[in-house]
Amino acid sequence: MIRINNNYNRLPGNYLFSEISKQVNEYQTKNPDTSIIRLGIGDVTKPLIPSVIKGLHDAVDEMAEASSFKGYGPEQGYAFLRELIATHDYSKRDVTIGEDEIFVSTGAKEDTANFQELFATDIKIAVPDPVYPVYVDSNVMAGRSGDYLNGRYANFVYLECNQENDYLPDLPKEPVDLIYLCFPNNPTGQTATREELKKWVEYARSNKALILYDSAYEAFIQDPSIPKTIFEIDGAREVAVEFRSLSKTAGFTGTRLSYTVIPKELVIWDETGKAYELNKLWNRRQTTKFNGTAYLIQKGAASIFSDAGKQEVQALIEYYLGNAKIIKEGLDALGISSTGGLNSPYIWLKTPKGLSSWDFFHKLLNEAQVVGTPGSGFGKCGEGYFRLSAFGERANVEEAIKRITNLSL
Ligand code: MLT
């Protein structure tokens, strides 16, 4: 008899964004004439930038000729792209990352979800609360969670982020082995200073722990004092893996390209204390389970590092940050307190009148036809909070704020 992986029985019924999408689709079916404004999932709305389109077209032409056609590519990504990433994302910030420390992939979602495969089942995991649900759910699937009680899995250590600590988690009070961090943060929009990151790097070094650092939103950092990569911190090469993505940077949510940086110094151990290089282990995993990101997409991605590409990316980021400003100012005018939205595309707000996150979701959907994301979907500490995404079209963002303002809140 074929049997289920029982860990799947510990998961919530639906993945957060699938549940939202289901509820919104049901509402639209019942109310076909309403125009719904979606500021829920962080999905971009602006088209790909001209440099990327040119890169993609050129690559299509290459694929049409026998002399330049490509079949399977390197599982780790083409050298031309890894070189550009190493130079523009790292060397130019005085951070040394070798090309062979970069693994090109199809999304930070899949890489952050898959990476836990390299670790023992009984390691101790620390996750912020609220948190991007992928880190939690993928570890539940792998059997690390224990039972789910009162909004928490028994075996995970939750790093609470709330108004009191300015949404910056404290170090864990008990030893942990694997720490997930995301800055600029999804969902709170909070960023981490150099001092803050130093605290985590030191903790990981003293505890032989590993940090999985999700940097998918780094392009939104405009304040030069905020680190763009955890590798700006001394010692981070010994304790951190960094995940980057073009999804939000260059509008690749539907095009799919990300990269994961694994310094050669990183090791993990077996029960006898024998060390294993993480870079080699991930390479072993990827060469077995992944056949590389499409050549066409990698060529398109490479174009963002040209002078024109960089300017176009910056314009895109400024557009979305402009939306974030409109949202924040609208909320301020309503007396609704919020965080994020400055060096981040997410605005994290306190629900008015003490409404629960889902009650506020339904109120906005039913009365204003505006979709956001209930904070409680990101964890227990998210209850009473709500996330708005700045990735909409400008006119829609303005209209959404107008509709929210017209509600009696
Ligand atoms: C989000 O809305 O949190 C993100 O778009 C989800 C993702 O990147 O997978």
Side-chain angles (χ1 to χ4, degrees):
M1 176 177 69
I2 178 71
R3 286 167 51 229
I4 185 175
N5 169 355
N6 263 323
N7 298 315
Y8 274 69
N9 284 325
R10 300 180 196 271
L11 293 167
N14 282 327
Y15 178 63
L16 174 62
F17 293 104
S18 312
E19 178 60 32
I20 292 169
S21 157
K22 182 174 142 246
Q23 294 201 24
V24 173
N25 291 341
E26 279 166 10
Y27 179 86
Q28 184 78 86
T29 306
K30 281 195 205 130
N31 303 277
D33 298 330
T34 52
S35 87
I36 297 176
I37 300 177
R38 292 164 200 260
L39 307 180
I41 190 165
D43 195 5
V44 295
T45 50
K46 296 288 269 182
L48 291 173
I49 55 176
S51 298
V52 168
I53 294 296
K54 164 122 189 15
L56 292 170
H57 279 162
D58 289 351
V60 169
D61 289 342
E62 282 182 59
M63 293 297 263
E65 298 293 329
S67 58
S68 47
F69 169 78
K70 304 273 186 299
Y72 290 128
E75 295 93 339
Q76 305 80 1
Y78 281 96
F80 66 82
L81 181 58
R82 297 165 92 198
E83 278 163 25
L84 286 168
I85 293 168
T87 305
H88 293 271
D89 279 3
Y90 295 103
S91 309
K92 290 200 169 161
R93 305 196 65 79
D94 292 331
V95 172
T96 305
I97 294 291
E99 288 147 40
D100 51 359
E101 295 176 320
I102 297 168
F103 293 81
V104 176
S105 179
T106 53
K109 179 179 186 176
E110 34 273 53
D111 278 11
T112 53
N114 290 331
F115 212 81
Q116 49 72 32
E117 277 182 39
L118 303 185
F119 312 117
T121 313
D122 59 354
I123 58 161
K124 203 67 172 166
I125 307 269
V127 286
D129 179 359
V131 71
Y132 180 41
V134 168
Y135 316 152
V136 172
D137 289 5
S138 56
N139 277 290
V140 174
M141 291 170 178
R144 296 196 180 88
S145 68
D147 289 337
Y148 187 72
L149 281 175
N150 299 323
R152 292 273 165 94
Y153 288 101
N155 294 350
F156 295 162
V157 171
Y158 290 89
L159 308 169
E160 300 201 342
C161 301
N162 45 44
Q163 244 163 351
E164 287 70 54
N165 61 15
D166 205 16
Y167 307 99
L168 291 167
D170 295 328
L171 293 174
K173 294 188 181 47
E174 57 185 293
V176 299
D177 306 304
L178 186 67
I179 303 155
Y180 287 84
L181 293 178
C182 170
F183 290 110
N185 187 257
N186 180 12
T188 67
Q190 180 56 289
T191 49
T193 60
R194 200 168 294 278
E195 279 312 302
E196 195 62 33
L197 292 183
K198 235 169 118 180
K199 171 181 102 179
W200 286 100
V201 167
E202 277 164 17
Y203 173 89
R205 289 177 86 187
S206 338
N207 290 276
K208 290 192 160 175
L210 181 75
I211 299 170
L212 297 185
Y213 190 76
D214 187 347
S215 184
Y217 300 93
E218 61 75 31
F220 291 85
I221 298 176
Q222 306 294 296
D223 176 344
S225 72
I226 301 173
K228 283 255 193 187
T229 155
I230 194 165
F231 299 121
E232 288 180 42
I233 310 300
D234 283 344
R237 287 183 56 90
E238 292 159 38
V239 290
V241 173
E242 181 162 283
F243 300 88
R244 290 221 172 176
S245 166
L246 295 199
S247 282
K248 317 295 157 83
T249 304
F252 271 53
T253 49
T255 308
R256 312 303 301 154
L257 188 129
S258 65
Y259 32 103
T260 291
V261 180
I262 312 172
K264 292 282 183 69
E265 286 91 325
L266 283 174
V267 288
I268 58 176
W269 295 269
D270 69 13
E271 52 290 341
T272 70
K274 183 173 172 215
Y276 298 82
E277 278 180 45
L278 201 53
N279 182 298
K280 282 193 182 151
L281 290 172
W282 184 246
N283 192 53
R284 184 70 180 82
R285 191 264 176 208
Q286 289 297 80
T287 48
T288 305
K289 295 195 175 184
F290 182 60
N291 257 339
T293 308
Y295 175 71
L296 306 173
I297 307 299
Q298 293 193 58
K299 280 302 251 194
S303 316
I304 72 160
F305 297 108
S306 65
D307 288 343
K310 280 184 185 166
Q311 278 173 22
E312 290 159 9
V313 163
Q314 182 57 23
L316 207 55
I317 298 294
E318 282 169 14
Y319 177 87
Y320 292 130
L321 286 174
N323 287 346
K325 187 161 183 275
I326 291 168
I327 296 172
K328 267 186 97 69
E329 286 174 358
L331 295 173
D332 284 351
L334 289 169
I336 297 176
S337 80
S338 68
T339 186
L342 289 177
N343 293 284
S344 152
Y346 293 129
I347 295 99
W348 182 247
L349 59 106
K350 188 102 195 69
T351 58
K353 296 197 177 133
L355 287 175
S356 78
S357 300
W358 277 106
D359 283 351
F360 190 59
F361 171 86
H362 290 122
K363 186 173 175 67
L364 282 196
L365 178 60
N366 291 321
E367 297 174 25
Q369 290 77 49
V370 172
V371 180
T373 308
S376 54
F378 298 101
K380 202 171 175 175
C381 292
E383 181 54 275
Y385 289 86
F386 199 73
R387 194 193 75 178
L388 289 173
S389 142
F391 289 115
E393 285 162 30
R394 179 62 51 86
N396 281 340
V397 168
E398 285 167 349
E399 172 65 16
I401 289 300
K402 212 185 288 168
R403 290 188 195 174
I404 295 173
T405 305
N406 289 339
L407 288 177
S408 54
L409 289 172

